[in-house]
Amino acid sequence: MTPERPKNTELAGLPAWLYPAGFWVGVVLLALGVLFPGLAVVGVSWVGLVPVLAAVWAAAAAWNRDRRLSIAALAALGGLVVVYIVKGFI
C-alpha cells in the first residue's frame, strides 16, 4: 500500500522543473566550457546562480500565499549579499 501523492508537486514554493532545468543548462554550459574555455566562467557562474534564482522565485511567487517562506528566501538572499560584501574586504 503506497501513500497517495499530493496533486501539487511544488516543493517549498518552487516549481518541479526549476532545479532539473538549471542543472541541465549548467551541464551544457560546463561541457561547452571544455571546448571553449571562455564559457567555463559562464557555466560556473550559472551553477552558483541557480539557487539565487530559486530564492528570488520563492520570494516573489509565495509572497501572497506564504509570507514566512518569502521572508526566509529574502533573508537567504540578504545573507548572500553580506557574504559577497565581506568577501570584498578580504
Side-chain angles (χ1 to χ4, degrees):
M1 192 150 141
T2 60
E4 292 184 35
R5 291 188 66 168
K7 293 179 183 178
N8 186 1
T9 59
E10 291 186 12
L11 177 65
L14 299 175
W17 56 265
L18 184 66
Y19 271 109
F23 170 77
W24 286 111
V25 168
V27 166
V28 168
L29 288 173
L30 290 171
L32 287 173
V34 172
L35 300 173
F36 307 103
L39 287 178
V41 172
V42 176
V44 171
S45 298
W46 176 258
V47 170
L49 190 63
V50 170
V52 173
L53 293 174
V56 169
W57 182 290
W63 185 256
N64 289 331
R65 272 186 298 132
D66 189 358
R67 290 273 164 94
R68 291 181 302 161
L69 175 64
S70 294
I71 291 171
L74 291 173
L77 289 172
L80 287 174
V81 169
V82 169
V83 167
Y84 185 76
I85 291 171
V86 170
K87 185 185 82 163
F89 290 131
I90 296 176

